[in-house]
Each structure stands twice: as structure tokens, then as C-alpha cells.
Amino acid sequence: MKKRAHSLEMDFVNSHEKQKMLYKRTLLIVSISQIFGGAGLAAGVTVGALLAQQMLGTDAFSGLPASLFTLGSAGAALVVGRLSQRFGRRIGLASGFFTGGLGAIGVVIAAVTNNLILLFASLLIYGAGTATNLQARYAGTDLANSKQRAKAISIAMVSTTFGAVAGPNLVGPMGKFAVSIGVPSLAGPFILSATAFILAGIFLFIMLNPDPLLVAKMIESNKAKQVDVKQSSPVESMKNNRGIAVGATTMVLTQIVMVAIMTMTPVHMEHHGHGLNEVGIVIAFHIGSMYLPSLITGILVDKIGRTAMSIASGATLLLAGVIAASAPSDSMVLLVVALSLLGLGWNFGLISGTAQIVDSTDSSTRAKTQGTVDVLIALSGASGGALSGMVVANSSYATLALAGGILSLVLIPVVIWSRKSKKEPEQGLQM
């Protein structure tokens, strides 16, 4: 079986036409899987804080679910990255989605039995689906050149929109379905998460063959045999390390700000008389803004540069924080605007940061490095989720939103510093 798979991948090494076909096919497969993954992610995010609030009986720890499943996604990101590096994207991504699906099933069982220990453990495992959904964006870049990478990332991400927007809007119907089968209504969305993650895993396992990362490795290995390839100079290595550092910083900061404000918005809305359907609408706009603009963002990142779009991310997140902090508690319109800008700022940061990571690595280390960076992203999200509940409990939602917006401004000096000794990535590495 391994020999046959190796032979299949070797067919693509010497044919540029086949490589282009595989690149397009991979983007299509990843995009379809992202529809399922987006639904699984969004449904759980929408009601996680409310479920914890209901089971714990306090607001102080309502940010704990976001903290737990982002903490779980940290470990999963590392494992999925290592599995992908060794066995290819197909095995790594499918394993991650299957694990996330099992975690979602555990959350449902915990809600039925009112078991807090099982709930916390299951949320950690559920985080594997979150990590895998995020790492799937890398698969489309394996066979892309430097001028296609941001666009490839964006095509995968924009597909997530369909599932991500549907997920929150299915909160009400899934809650009714859950009650009809004897399950608490807030656990209903996790039934959807389990189904969506498992379907995404099955689809990738069957369809992502030949594996794009394994083909990319073979292409680079073949080039190395045909040409006397020089080792990277110390200056080039330093530039690559700097690119990884800047890309990681951009994604970490945007993740902290986004998770912190997003996590406490449903609780803030519930306290001021908004129902579950209204919460679903606001989160749907937020998650739609996280993914839907991706195609345009990808083109902009490739055309005007990683640096400019990273700065735009910081400015957009600041505006989101200011509007969220100043919005009247009964204003659905301003909350929708604030959360939409929050999602858009995250989108700018994630795509520009991801492109910098891909620019600064090659296929021999790429998946491993990507997994390590995603660990940092997940840990930052866990910190943001954990601290958000405490900040709101001891101060206010407005304080949290404003502090998040101000924190995002750190992005601007970071990316300006990177420009002093590094040219724009678009002029850098080629596949």
C-alpha cells in the first residue's frame, strides 16, 4: 500500500501540469472539508460559555470553555503538525478531526449527566477539531508559489464561512432537537459539532490522496538531486527566523484579542436581555467576518504585502474594541458592527501571518513549524479566554473590549521592526 501511494505521488514530481491539477484539486478538497470543520467549530464556540455558566452557576468562570478547548487545541496542533510532517496532511488532518468529534460527543454526555470533570476533559479533546480546522489552511499552500500562497490560504478559509455561519444559526434548531431526545438544549450544538468534525475527517482521509505535502517534499528532493543546491547562508537563515517570529507574533496577538472579546460577548448579551437566537446572529456575523473576506484579503496580502495587512489588522481590531466598549447594551446593530470588525481584524492578521510562516519555511520542516506556531496561537487563545471572564467579573465588558483594542496596537511596531532588515516576503522563497 505504501509503495503504491509513493508511486502515485512520484507521478506528479516531473509533471508541472499534474502539479497544477493537484494544487487545484487539493484546494477544492480542503475547501469542502472546511465547510464541515467550520460548522463544528462555530456551533461549540457559540454556546460553550453559556453551557459552563449554566453548569457552574457563576459568570466568573464562563470563559473557561474557550480556555479549555483552545488549550486542548494547543496540544493537538503540535501532534497534528508532527503527524503531517511524518505521514502527510491526509493522516494528520483526518486524525485531528476525528479526535475533535469524540470530544464533542463527550461534551454532550457531560451535559446529560451534569458531570463537570467529563465536561472539562471533553472540551480539551474538542479543541483538536479547532486546531485541525485552523491547520487545514496550510494544506493548500504546499504546492503554491510565493505569489499564490496568501490566495491559497484564503480560498481554504473562505469555504469555512459556509459552515461557520450556519453553525451559530443552527443553535436554536439544534437546541430543540436536543430537548426532543432528552439532552439539555445548550448541548445541542455539540451534536452538530461531533457530526461535522467526523464527516470532515472521513472526507479528508478518503479524498486527500495523493498527499500535497508528500508531493512537495518529493519535488524539492528531486530538485536537490538535479541541481547543486547551496545551503542557506546565515543571513538568509536569520531572515527566515525573523519571518517566522513576526508571523507568529501577528497571529498570537490577533488571537488573544479576538478570543477574549468574542468569548464574553454572549454572556454580556444574555445579561442585558438578549435571547439565544440574537446571540447566534451576532456570533454568525462575527464568524462570517472571520472567514468570508478571506479571498479579498489573500489577494491584498499577495499584492500589497504582508506588512501592510498586518498593520491593517491592528487598526481594525482597535476600532472593534472601541465600538464594543462604547455600544449601548441594548444595541444589536453596534454589537454586530463591533464583532464583525473583530472578525475582520483577525482575518487580516491570520492570513498575513500565515503567509509569512509559509514564506519562511520549506517542505522539510514546514508542517512541524506550522504546528509549533499554532501551539502558540492556541495558548494565546486559551489565555484570552481564561482572563476574559475574570476581567468582566471584576470590571466590565467595556473594559475588556477597550483593553483588547489597545493591545492590538502592538502589531504596528512589530511589523515595522521586521521591515528594517527584511524585504517583503513576496519577493522571497519560491517553491
Side-chain angles (χ1 to χ4, degrees):
M1 185 69 75
K2 284 185 178 181
K3 286 184 178 179
R4 194 192 315 174
H6 181 80
S7 175
L8 179 62
E9 284 148 358
M10 281 299 296
D11 289 341
F12 291 83
V13 172
N14 297 312
S15 172
H16 290 294
E17 283 301 314
K18 285 189 175 183
Q19 289 170 26
K20 288 180 182 178
M21 288 174 59
L22 181 58
Y23 168 66
K24 292 177 180 178
R25 181 174 181 268
T26 299
L27 282 180
L28 178 62
I29 292 167
V30 170
S31 296
I32 294 172
S33 74
Q34 289 290 82
I35 295 173
F36 294 116
L41 165 66
V45 166
T46 305
V47 299
L50 298 176
L51 180 61
Q53 181 191 41
Q54 185 181 83
M55 292 180 68
L56 291 167
T58 177
D59 292 343
F61 300 100
S62 53
L64 194 57
S67 177
L68 284 170
F69 63 65
T70 48
L71 185 62
S73 73
L78 192 65
V79 174
V80 170
R82 297 292 193 275
L83 283 174
S84 297
Q85 189 67 59
R86 185 169 181 182
F87 301 108
R89 301 286 187 193
R90 174 172 167 260
I91 299 298
L93 296 177
S95 299
F97 275 129
F98 289 146
T99 304
L102 291 175
I105 292 170
V107 171
V108 175
I109 296 171
V112 171
T113 60
N114 199 33
N115 188 323
L116 284 173
I117 294 176
L118 178 59
L119 174 69
F120 297 153
S122 298
L123 284 168
L124 279 169
I125 299 170
Y126 170 79
T130 307
T132 308
N133 193 65
L134 195 59
Q135 279 207 31
R137 74 195 189 280
Y138 290 118
T141 68
D142 290 326
L143 295 170
N145 62 44
S146 62
K147 293 181 179 180
Q148 295 175 314
R149 287 168 184 161
K151 185 178 178 182
I153 296 162
S154 69
I155 289 172
M157 286 184 61
V158 78
S159 302
T160 309
T161 308
F162 299 104
V165 172
N169 284 304
L170 289 172
V171 165
M174 288 304 300
K176 292 177 181 177
F177 170 74
V179 171
S180 72
I181 59 172
V183 174
S185 62
L186 288 176
F190 284 96
I191 298 174
L192 174 63
S193 294
T195 304
F197 281 156
I198 291 171
L199 285 174
I202 292 171
F203 183 75
L204 285 169
F205 185 77
I206 294 172
M207 300 300 296
L208 203 61
N209 188 30
D211 192 287
L213 181 59
L214 298 183
V215 171
K217 282 183 180 181
M218 291 178 183
I219 291 170
E220 289 190 0
S221 177
N222 192 52
K223 286 180 180 177
K225 290 176 183 177
Q226 294 176 0
V227 183
D228 183 17
V229 179
K230 296 180 181 179
Q231 290 188 342
S232 298
S233 67
V235 173
E236 188 177 356
S237 296
M238 185 175 69
K239 284 183 178 180
N240 289 342
N241 290 336
R242 186 182 289 262
I244 292 170
V246 173
T249 301
T250 299
M251 290 189 284
V252 162
L253 284 174
T254 54
Q255 186 78 356
I256 290 175
V257 175
M258 187 276 291
V259 170
I261 298 175
M262 176 199 69
T263 298
M264 293 312 298
T265 297
V267 176
H268 170 70
M269 291 180 68
E270 187 186 51
H271 281 171
H272 292 90
H274 296 286
L276 199 57
N277 285 334
E278 291 172 304
V279 171
I281 290 170
V282 171
I283 297 300
F285 271 97
H286 167 65
I287 296 180
S289 298
M290 288 171 65
Y291 296 102
L292 191 57
S294 294
L295 194 55
I296 295 172
T297 302
I299 293 170
L300 290 173
V301 170
D302 281 334
K303 293 291 184 183
I304 69 175
R306 280 58 161 154
T307 298
M309 293 306 293
S310 294
I311 292 173
S313 171
T316 306
L317 290 172
L318 173 63
L319 183 59
V322 170
I323 293 175
S326 59
S329 57
D330 60 347
S331 175
M332 273 283 290
V333 173
L334 286 179
L335 283 173
V336 165
V337 171
L339 269 290
S340 296
L341 287 171
L342 184 70
L344 184 63
W346 178 87
N347 178 272
F348 290 167
L350 186 76
I351 294 181
S352 59
T354 299
Q356 289 186 78
I357 297 295
V358 178
D359 290 335
S360 304
T361 55
D362 58 42
S363 63
S364 63
T365 60
R366 182 167 295 149
K368 185 178 178 181
T369 302
Q370 289 162 347
T372 303
V373 170
D374 278 3
V375 170
L376 298 177
I377 297 171
L379 290 174
S380 66
S383 301
L387 293 173
S388 64
M390 296 180 184
V391 170
V392 171
N394 292 287
S395 182
S396 67
Y397 175 78
T399 300
L400 173 71
L402 193 58
I406 293 171
L407 178 62
S408 66
L409 290 180
V410 175
L411 283 174
I412 295 175
V414 167
V415 296
I416 290 175
W417 163 76
S418 75
R419 289 283 287 159
K420 289 182 179 179
S421 60
K422 183 174 181 286
K423 292 181 179 180
E424 280 292 294
E426 292 89 305
Q427 301 170 6
L429 302 178
Q430 297 285 332
M431 284 290 292

